[in-house]
Amino acid sequence: MSEFPKLDLTITFQEGNIRGVDKLMSVVRPKWNYDKTGYKVFEEGISNQLIAFYERSNRDDMIIVRIYGKKTELLIDREKEIVNMRLLHRYGIGPELYARFNNGLCYEFMPGEVLDDVTIRDPVCMNLIAKEVANMHVSVKPVDGVEVTPCLIEYFKKFLKAIPELYSDDSKQTRYRENIVNRINLAREIQM
């Protein structure tokens, strides 16, 4: 797979103040006038910050700037993530990557709906997800020397290690207790 820009750039977004994105746009959308762009913050995520940027005169061409969440690298191998995203794009089932920067990625916006804890449990939605995952596994073949190895169990083990025994925030602890299988049962399921 061909290379795409890796920029020595750190982008920050706090309280509506965005820093560094103008330099990113000059690389991925050099024809855009930064002063004539708008943005939309996606708040559905749990760790990363996702911001869509677009020219105010043309919302059909949006880019996503994803700023990695704190310590997400403990769970996610960023190099493998990039390889997988590029592979999925090659097969038409993932966004095109435009650039990477010190603390995130920039890629194509793909319209859709964000799943939440209700929709993910909807039987119709679960069936659609299962069909698409199965289709992906049948369709996507390794290319350009990309090694494909099963990783789900290792990822689950990493995830399990990262889950705190107890959350200091009462609302997080309640949500964890109500929505997540207890840690011992989860560990047993992973070993199966």
Side-chain angles (χ1 to χ4, degrees):
M1 284 184 243
S2 61
E3 283 304 306
F4 66 107
K6 182 176 183 180
L7 308 173
D8 186 16
L9 174 66
T10 300
I11 295 177
T12 59
F13 178 74
Q14 293 176 333
E15 299 170 14
N17 189 9
I18 302 167
R19 292 206 171 130
V21 81
D22 54 334
K23 293 175 186 159
L24 175 66
M25 280 192 207
S26 72
V27 173
V28 300
R29 290 294 188 272
K31 293 181 181 176
W32 284 10
N33 178 341
Y34 180 70
D35 295 328
K36 293 182 180 178
T37 60
Y39 69 89
K40 174 183 173 25
V41 177
F42 294 99
E43 298 178 353
E44 293 90 354
I46 58 173
S47 59
N48 298 317
Q49 289 180 303
L50 291 176
I51 310 158
F53 289 89
Y54 52 87
E55 284 186 297
R56 288 188 197 114
S57 62
N58 179 15
R59 283 189 171 216
D60 291 334
D61 181 22
M62 282 200 265
I63 62 172
I64 297 292
V65 173
R66 179 185 350 147
I67 302 170
Y68 299 145
K70 275 187 175 180
K71 298 186 179 184
T72 53
E73 71 280 357
L74 297 175
L75 290 175
I76 299 167
D77 180 328
R78 296 296 179 192
E79 295 304 316
K80 283 184 181 177
E81 175 186 38
I82 288 169
V83 167
N84 288 331
M85 286 180 76
R86 295 179 78 199
L87 190 60
L88 292 174
H89 172 69
R90 179 178 263 193
Y91 283 91
I93 52 178
E96 180 179 356
L97 278 169
Y98 298 135
R100 64 193 294 191
F101 48 95
N102 296 335
N103 62 329
L105 296 171
C106 177
Y107 49 90
E108 173 186 20
F109 172 77
M110 294 183 78
E113 289 184 39
V114 176
L115 299 177
D116 60 25
D117 57 343
V118 174
T119 54
I120 195 93
R121 291 182 173 110
D122 176 4
V124 172
C125 190
M126 289 187 326
N127 285 333
L128 288 171
I129 292 168
K131 269 185 196 170
E132 289 303 314
V133 169
N135 181 48
M136 177 188 69
H137 282 281
V138 168
S139 303
V140 176
K141 305 293 181 230
V143 293
D144 297 337
V146 172
E147 182 182 334
V148 177
T149 56
C151 61
L152 192 59
I153 297 301
E154 291 309 310
Y155 175 77
F156 281 151
K157 287 177 183 176
K158 245 175 147 175
F159 178 73
L160 192 58
K161 277 185 178 178
I163 297 173
E165 295 283 339
L166 185 66
Y167 287 92
S168 57
D169 179 319
D170 288 341
S171 65
K172 283 184 182 178
Q173 185 62 34
T174 300
R175 195 170 71 218
Y176 172 76
R177 189 176 52 250
E178 289 173 357
N179 295 303
I180 306 294
V181 177
N182 96 24
R183 194 180 185 98
I184 293 168
N185 290 344
L186 195 54
R188 276 191 205 124
E189 283 189 34
I190 290 171
Q191 295 305 320
M192 293 180 156

